Amino acid sequence: MQAQLENMADPPAATPAAPARAQPPRGGPGHALARLAWCAALAGGVALAGAAYWWTERVSTERLRAAGAQRLEVYAASLENLLDKYDFLPHMLELDKDVLALLEHPGDPARRQEVNAYLERLSKQAGSRIIYIVDLQGRTLAASNWREKSSFVGDDIRFRPYLQDALRGRPSGFYGVGTTSGEPGYFYARGVYRDGRMQGVAVVKVNIEEQERGWVQGADNVMLADANGVVFLSSAPAWKYHTLRALSPAVRAHLAQTRQYYRLPLPALPISRDETRADGTRVMVIGGQTGGGARPMLVQQRSLAPRQWTFIHLSDLSHARANARLAVLFAGVAYGFLLLLFLYVRQRLRAKEQLQDAYNNLEMMVAERTARLERTTQRLMDEAEVRREAEQQLHRTQNELYQAGKMAVLGQMSASITHELNQPLTALRTMSDNAVQLFERGRMAEARENLVKISQIVARMGTITGKLKGFARKSNAELGPVSIHTAISNALVLVERRMQLDKVAFTLDISDADIFALCDSNRLEQVLLNLMSNALDALATLERGAPRALSVSVTEAAGAVRIRVGDNGPGLSNEARERLFQPFFTTKPQGEGLGLGLAISEQIVRDFGGSLRAEPSEAGASFVIELRAASAERHDG
């Protein structure tokens, strides 16, 4: 090839000079072809820009839809968890003897005062807004806000749908604006029964506006509407208590009758556009949005059954369109660059004809640089291969460590769940057998009480499994003031029947004033239940006819709360004291225990910032739980 170029560069002298290239005349076929090529290039650029705009807008919209659906699920789950947390409260009031006594004797001022004080304490402990008791005529007999000027005591609420449903025997929930205080909230209502006969209705009002505050602080546009299309929670204050569509006269008459939104006018939202696009997405434009004029919004909905609410998430499509415009700009720049590159190459090809003399030197330089580049490339490839092998080894090691850690956690959780559910299942078996005997003897009222307790234990087991999940994330658990009276009472529910069967004498030494400790109520009750069950197991080994005693005492001093659980059983050996809190150590016969109860209990108390220890005792065993004290005022706050 080099020889050919040299021959071309130095032609023989006898060869005649080549004639100059003839230039095509202006306006000829060459110029027409050039104009056609430029028109084709322009059309290609326009088509590329349109395709870039369409594809980018579609991808951006799909990303907005996926992100909106995920956020919508998070918001819905958060609201459902908040509402489900208070479902048990109305049922608890049915178990209080003072509430039942007030419903039987509504004119007794002393009973009314006792129930008012009890509801006030319960409302502060549960974090609800108001708890009140209503008789069968719809008149409020007692309320937790009895001290306030806007007290519900004496109000007639027969017009409320949630009360009407509860009086028909259907527990219900209802969102509405208070007619006395003007404060919105969610109302739970459930009938209070005694011996199968309804005595009245227990109502709990919960403030769910905290959910709305979280939406306002975020960047999302969210609103929650009821079955009539009334928006009662929204991230945009201007949308709240508006409707998604104009309300019919019948719906407005019904709302006025139930006073669900009291005196609010409930105007329709200024929706200037609401359409479904060809790709299945729904676009809405609402006038007066936050942050400027009306903008197109991508609409996503999620139904909250059985409350007949609808969660609506609105994503601003202006971001997707801005991305599409940027894509058009980028496509135009890239296409222009390619055109310039084409012109540059074309010009280079033309100039190459004039650079034949320098071609040999350039070819040698290119060959030398190519060889150098190949050597560099080979060296880089060798280094890349070494790095790739090291990364593969690192990934394999990380996967092995992850699998080992996962299997260890699964083993701990399976052992914990087996131990935590063993005692409630034992109580369920005992109470079920007792219920069968009561049915056979025709003692239906006592059998019903047994079934109610079984239901409470089943709910308790659900709480236990939920708390075991929380225990796996104990670094995020928040401690708070817990009533020691309540914790001991809840633990005694699961063992009182066994104490009766085993003829165990139980004593409780605690002050009348409630004592609060800084811990978690569910896990403290599990520790107390474990200590009481262990004591009953030890007492079961005594000779038949021997006296059996179980005692619980609570003292508070120097900022600490001490709970002592003791028995008069056979006590602890020296070996047992040394290995007492070691996992899988047990003094019970094989098959009757895993040896995890005290180890888990000691870990739980230690997470509270307290301690669990065995103290010397003249007879039997004695365990002491020491926790940090907490004030009732702090608990109320």
Side-chain angles (χ1 to χ4, degrees), residues 353-391:
E353 297 176 357
Q354 303 173 4
L355 299 175
Q356 294 295 329
D357 295 339
Y359 182 80
N360 294 334
N361 294 333
L362 288 175
E363 188 177 37
M364 293 178 61
M365 293 174 61
V366 169
E368 181 181 356
R369 292 185 178 180
T370 301
R372 229 183 311 171
L373 180 60
E374 289 177 352
R375 291 192 296 271
T376 303
T377 302
Q378 185 62 38
R379 186 167 62 252
L380 292 175
M381 290 176 62
D382 294 339
E383 293 178 0
E385 181 65 22
V386 172
R387 291 186 179 181
R388 187 181 63 81
E389 294 177 357
E391 289 176 355

Side-chain angles (χ1 to χ4, degrees), residues 459-478:
R460 182 68 179 169
M461 291 172 66
T463 303
I464 288 173
T465 57
K467 287 300 179 180
L468 285 175
K469 296 177 184 177
F471 181 73
R473 300 186 295 270
K474 58 179 180 289
S475 58
N476 294 328
E478 295 184 359

Side-chain angles (χ1 to χ4, degrees), residues 457-631:
I457 292 174
V458 172
R460 182 68 179 169
M461 291 172 66
T463 303
I464 288 173
T465 57
K467 287 300 179 180
L468 285 175
K469 296 177 184 177
F471 181 73
R473 300 186 295 270
K474 58 179 180 289
S475 58
N476 294 328
E478 295 184 359
L479 304 182
V482 172
S483 169
I484 302 301
H485 291 71
T486 303
I488 294 176
S489 298
N490 292 341
L492 285 175
V493 169
L494 298 178
V495 297
E496 61 181 355
R497 183 58 184 169
R498 183 178 175 185
M499 288 192 295
Q500 294 174 1
L501 295 175
D502 293 347
K503 297 180 180 180
V504 177
F506 176 74
T507 57
L508 175 62
D509 183 11
I510 188 171
S511 64
D512 294 335
D514 209 344
I515 298 176
F516 294 88
L518 191 62
C519 57
D520 176 80
S521 59
N522 289 325
R523 291 191 283 168
L524 176 59
E525 292 167 14
Q526 286 303 114
V527 174
L528 292 172
L529 179 61
N530 180 263
L531 295 179
M532 293 180 185
S533 298
N534 287 347
L536 293 176
D537 291 339
L539 292 174
T541 62
L542 295 178
E543 297 180 358
R544 186 172 184 179
R548 296 177 171 90
L550 173 63
S551 64
V552 177
S553 62
V554 182
T555 58
E556 182 180 16
V561 177
R562 294 179 180 85
I563 307 173
R564 179 185 176 276
V565 180
D567 61 74
N568 65 337
L572 300 171
S573 64
N574 293 333
E575 180 187 2
R577 287 183 181 276
E578 292 177 358
R579 303 178 59 189
L580 201 55
F581 299 109
Q582 293 182 6
F584 302 105
F585 171 74
T586 179
T587 59
K588 299 178 182 179
Q590 185 175 3
E592 295 186 9
L594 295 176
L596 287 171
L598 288 177
I600 294 175
S601 297
E602 192 272 340
Q603 178 64 44
I604 289 174
V605 176
R606 195 191 319 156
D607 290 341
F608 294 161
S611 63
L612 172 62
R613 62 183 181 275
E615 290 191 344
S617 178
E618 295 180 359
S622 177
F623 289 86
V624 175
I625 304 171
E626 185 167 339
L627 303 170
R628 291 176 290 174
S631 63

Side-chain angles (χ1 to χ4, degrees), residues 129-238:
R129 181 63 188 89
I130 302 170
I131 305 176
Y132 49 102
I133 304 297
V134 184
D135 62 15
L136 297 179
Q137 288 72 41
R139 183 168 54 90
T140 303
L141 299 180
S144 61
N145 66 341
W146 61 280
R147 300 178 187 272
E148 303 175 7
K149 293 182 179 179
S150 58
S151 171
F152 286 6
V153 177
D155 287 355
D156 187 351
I157 59 171
R158 284 176 295 178
F159 58 88
R160 285 298 200 183
Y162 62 84
L163 181 65
Q164 297 172 7
D165 290 341
L167 290 174
R168 296 188 187 100
R170 298 196 302 267
S172 65
F174 178 80
Y175 179 89
V177 178
T179 58
T180 301
S181 62
E183 179 182 343
Y186 188 78
F187 297 82
Y188 300 81
R190 176 186 173 88
V192 178
Y193 295 85
R194 184 168 189 173
D195 298 329
R197 187 169 59 88
M198 182 182 292
Q199 301 293 319
V201 176
V203 184
V204 177
K205 180 179 180 181
V206 178
N207 185 358
I208 61 175
E209 305 299 312
E210 290 293 336
Q211 297 283 317
E212 185 182 62
R213 296 189 184 97
W215 303 343
V216 172
Q217 294 173 0
D220 295 335
N221 293 309
V222 187
M223 52 185 172
L224 185 62
D226 63 9
N228 297 316
V230 178
V231 178
F232 58 89
L233 289 181
S234 173
S235 60

